[in-house]
Amino acid sequence: MDIQTLFGLDGKVALVTGGATGIGRMAAESLVRAGATVLLASRKGEACEAVAAELNALGASGKAIGFAGDVGTEEGVDALVAAVKDRTETLDILMNNAGITWGAPMGQFPFKAWDKVMNVNVAGLFDLTQKLLPMLKASGTVDDPARVVNVGSVMGEREMGDGAYSYSASKAAVIHLSKILAKELAGDAITVNALAPGPFVSRMTAFATHDEEMRSKVGDDVPLKRVGRDEDIAGCMLFLCGRGGAYITGAVVPVSGGINVMSGPNIFEQALH
């Protein structure tokens, strides 16, 4: 089987939420380059339109369409579903990437930081997936299922708060929910997998990745000694969404440079030296 058959996405239609920046933007470009028509949605519709124009200028076999979409409220999800249906009759791939965070030290973390973050990162993700299920079910087959890729975080896998308590908890919920949905939707020819990224350059991480010096410092704390790159996300998406990933569901892909397996020191280290 050739590479194009394994990883090509000609004729597929994908929706990427939060697709204007960061990991969503990285994923969208990989899908367009693989031949898919990619719908980009975020709260900033103008930014999605601009990114779509950039992707369409690549000369790739796929294309992008940008528009506004907000998963932070039930009304927003309903409007996004309607916008998707206005633009396509089919949907093969759903990437739930839209997310927000909130940072404050223990003792100052506000109650409102929970409602806002959980609404976008968990409730919105679930509700959008639920309401797009008819389109995904119509596209999936036993040999080539429809695909859902949810973006979690290594902070949802490891005991890492870093002042972003509601964010970390929400990403743990995303990972667990992905496994639940994988179990429930397998019979409908829909795979559900999750990414658990570590540090990537994005608007959310700009406070620590805004220049090369800062990225180098962050990378020094990663076992593989760098921050994530565009191709790290691209490789995951083409694998999970192409024919090569058709037999995988319920997986959590640790795109975190080894942070997912970091642990404490060797308890005998001092005694042995």
Side-chain angles (χ1 to χ4, degrees):
M1 186 175 290
D2 61 38
I3 296 299
Q4 181 60 31
T5 301
L6 279 175
F7 304 115
L9 298 172
D10 288 342
K12 300 293 186 181
V13 178
L15 169 63
V16 178
T17 64
T21 61
I23 287 173
R25 168 69 169 75
M26 298 173 199
E29 179 169 340
S30 69
L31 298 176
V32 168
R33 289 188 181 277
T37 295
V38 182
L39 309 181
L40 303 172
S42 76
R43 287 174 293 172
K44 297 184 178 180
E46 300 86 354
C48 287
E49 291 173 7
V51 169
E54 293 172 6
L55 297 181
N56 289 332
L58 294 174
S61 54
K63 67 177 182 179
I65 302 168
F67 54 96
D70 182 7
V71 298
T73 65
E74 183 177 5
E75 295 77 17
V77 172
D78 289 341
L80 177 53
V81 171
V84 170
K85 292 179 177 179
D86 284 344
R87 290 164 173 81
T88 180
E89 294 182 355
T90 62
L91 185 67
D92 305 282
I93 299 164
L94 169 61
M95 184 186 195
N96 285 306
N97 170 71
I100 61 172
T101 189
W102 194 303
M106 177 64 73
Q108 301 175 33
F109 202 82
F111 188 88
K112 64 182 180 181
W114 288 92
D115 190 41
K116 188 177 179 73
V117 171
M118 296 298 282
N119 276 353
V120 173
N121 294 4
V122 184
L125 176 153
F126 177 83
D127 200 42
L128 179 63
T129 304
Q130 179 175 247
K131 288 171 178 172
L132 289 174
L133 277 180
M135 297 182 76
L136 293 166
K137 288 179 180 180
S139 294
T141 67
V142 170
D143 291 327
D144 189 13
R147 318 299 167 92
V148 176
V149 180
N150 296 325
V151 179
S153 170
V154 70
M155 293 179 72
E157 289 190 295
R158 306 295 301 168
E159 302 81 1
M160 301 168 69
D162 292 354
Y165 303 103
S166 56
Y167 175 82
S168 296
S170 76
K171 292 303 184 178
V174 167
I175 288 170
H176 190 59
L177 185 58
S178 297
K179 295 176 182 180
I180 292 171
L181 293 177
K183 177 182 178 181
E184 293 188 358
L185 300 180
D188 294 315
I190 300 171
T191 69
V192 184
N193 295 292
L195 304 182
F200 278 78
V201 179
S202 70
R203 186 171 57 193
M204 189 178 291
T205 65
F207 69 95
T209 62
H210 62 272
D211 61 34
E212 188 57 44
E213 181 181 0
M214 292 294 290
R215 290 191 286 273
S216 178
K217 289 179 179 179
V218 173
D220 285 343
D221 289 330
V222 176
L224 289 179
K225 298 302 178 186
R226 66 173 175 86
V227 299
R229 300 172 182 151
D230 292 15
E231 58 265 31
D232 299 318
I233 295 299
C236 291
M237 290 302 294
L238 297 184
F239 172 57
L240 291 176
C241 297
R243 293 297 288 268
Y247 202 49
I248 295 171
T249 194
V252 180
V253 183
V255 204
S256 61
I259 296 174
N260 57 301
V261 289
M262 290 175 68
S263 62
N266 186 329
I267 60 174
F268 301 112
E269 186 172 358
Q270 294 300 318
L272 294 174
H273 292 87

